[in-house]
Amino acid sequence: MVMEVLAGLNIRPGRLYVDGTVGEGGHAAAILDRLLQAGELIGLDKNPDVLQRAASRLAPYTSRFRLFHRSFSQLGEVLEAIQVQEAAGILLDLGLSLYLLEHSGRGFSFRRDEPLDMRFDPLEPVPTAADLLNTSSPSELETIFRAYGEEPQARLLARRVVEARRRRPFRTTRDLVEVVTTVIRPKGPRSRIHPATRVFQALRIAVNRELEELETFLSRAPDWLAPQGRLVVLSYHSLEDRLVKQRFLEWERGGVAKRLTKKPSRPGPEEVRRNPRARTARLRIAEKI
Ligand SMILES: C[S@@+](CC[C@H](N)C(=O)[O-])C[C@H]1O[C@@H](n2cnc3c(N)ncnc32)[C@H](O)[C@@H]1O
């Protein structure tokens, strides 16, 4: 949905834009292209490896971007440190990048046998996915699987996790896939969605406290936007989208910002065919008053 994102940000040459989830710099490069030699991009990401990749990709744009190894919830500190008051547009493209899924070796994919880590920021001293599986109570596990994975078999799965860890602690993705496939069956013989998809997503959201990060960001975001500045959020999970939807509505009622998308934009069938992971994407745009 790159074109919708760029249109949503309403990029004007000479202004400053923030990509709060810069990843490998795909959206960032497209933004810099539109800025036409004038203007600046500030990119943030919690993962140092993708930041390095973004730095290489964006190198041709020389001095027009700055990258920070920080969470988007800490954007205020970054802006203060570089003495910038406000941005003309902020983008959040939430969740996981293809690189982290396929190449990070941190257990985001059930298709590889890797340590169950799942922290976006490997330097952050928070429990890994293996820690959560090995130490959470059955009801905590059930809540994670139900709330963040919308997994109907959450209770049974939590029980099976606790039984399995008594025999041997969880260490790798394969340990988890083995347990998941005893509880959750594929939706049908032709289903393209692996039974572990929702469980892995749930653990990732819990490990990285993704909803809390988004809440913290949304509670401050209007302070970081210039008048008529745009906030564009691409979310991939109904809980994230609900937080964005509610906040945008509050801002509109409070005269802080107006919603430019009453209903979220969704990717078309062609984009979903090319990139099945985009199937759950929802794009919302708000403009500060
Ligand atoms: C879907 S990818 C972004 C891809 C990017 N838009 C591009 O075009 O390459 C999401 C990125 O957000 C990062 N991320 C997740 N939570 C974050 C947070 N709270 N603060 C900063 N980055 C975060 C992840 O590390 C990942 O690189």
Side-chain angles (χ1 to χ4, degrees):
M1 300 180 82
V2 179
M3 295 323 273
E4 287 93 331
V5 164
L6 293 173
L9 285 169
N10 185 26
I11 293 168
R12 284 160 292 169
R15 306 293 299 274
L16 179 135
Y17 291 82
V18 172
D19 184 344
T21 51
V22 76
E24 290 165 73
H27 283 112
I31 294 169
L32 282 160
D33 277 336
R34 298 280 165 114
L35 283 174
L36 304 173
Q37 307 300 326
E40 195 185 353
L41 179 109
I42 304 295
L44 275 58
D45 205 288
K46 278 180 92 168
N47 185 274
D49 298 340
V50 296
L51 273 176
Q52 260 188 15
R53 296 173 70 84
S56 313
R57 180 170 189 168
L58 301 178
Y61 299 95
T62 57
S63 59
R64 293 167 44 218
F65 69 91
R66 285 186 265 183
L67 300 179
F68 296 87
H69 177 212
R70 297 296 276 273
S71 167
F72 51 70
S73 63
Q74 300 165 314
L75 177 59
E77 292 165 32
V78 172
L79 294 181
E80 201 175 295
I82 60 174
Q83 298 181 338
V84 166
Q85 287 198 333
E86 48 195 25
I90 305 177
L91 167 65
L92 293 189
D93 175 15
L94 298 167
L96 195 58
S97 71
L98 195 58
Y99 173 80
L100 289 179
L101 182 73
E102 302 281 349
H103 305 292
S104 66
R106 311 194 71 80
F108 290 109
S109 170
F110 45 78
R111 298 191 195 283
R112 310 194 151 65
D113 194 24
E114 295 172 352
L116 268 168
D117 184 323
M118 292 199 194
R119 286 170 300 169
F120 287 141
D121 184 352
L123 304 175
E124 202 178 9
V126 295
T128 63
D131 294 334
L132 287 185
L133 289 167
N134 289 325
T135 61
S136 305
S137 70
S139 72
E140 285 165 344
L141 288 170
E142 182 185 340
T143 302
I144 291 173
F145 299 144
R146 196 180 303 287
Y148 303 153
E150 291 164 285
E151 175 47 60
Q153 302 286 359
R155 179 168 300 173
L156 180 59
L157 181 60
R159 209 183 313 142
R160 290 279 166 85
V161 164
V162 172
E163 286 163 12
R165 77 190 186 195
R166 278 196 206 113
R167 294 191 293 274
R168 184 163 53 94
F170 284 87
R171 285 189 306 108
T172 71
T173 43
R174 187 173 299 158
D175 299 337
L176 179 58
V177 171
E178 274 171 14
V179 175
V180 170
T181 45
T182 66
V183 177
I184 307 166
R185 303 268 164 237
K187 280 234 162 88
R190 297 186 338 148
S191 170
R192 290 169 66 203
I193 313 290
H194 190 283
T197 305
R198 289 193 304 264
V199 174
F200 272 65
Q201 171 192 274
L203 272 173
R204 192 204 78 213
I205 292 175
V207 166
N208 295 292
R209 299 177 317 284
E210 291 178 35
L211 298 175
E212 291 86 340
E213 292 275 17
L214 181 58
E215 285 252 46
T216 307
F217 169 86
L218 290 169
S219 69
R220 299 280 317 279
D223 298 343
W224 303 326
L225 277 173
Q228 277 85 55
R230 299 274 184 92
L231 172 60
V232 176
V233 185
L234 255 175
S235 60
Y236 297 86
H237 188 282
S238 55
L239 290 176
E240 286 169 350
D241 183 57
R242 202 174 309 150
L243 286 180
V244 178
K245 177 180 163 185
Q246 282 167 354
R247 247 336 148 150
F248 281 14
L249 191 61
E250 261 174 47
W251 292 346
E252 190 165 271
R253 290 189 178 140
V256 174
K258 63 178 183 225
R259 292 174 299 162
L260 303 186
T261 43
K262 299 249 154 69
K263 293 221 177 316
S265 311
R266 309 286 305 265
E270 177 51 28
E271 178 157 5
V272 173
R273 199 185 55 73
R274 267 186 289 117
N275 174 17
R277 289 181 342 109
R279 68 188 180 279
T280 55
R282 290 179 180 85
L283 178 95
R284 292 188 187 268
I285 307 164
E287 182 178 284
K288 183 165 163 175
I289 289 177

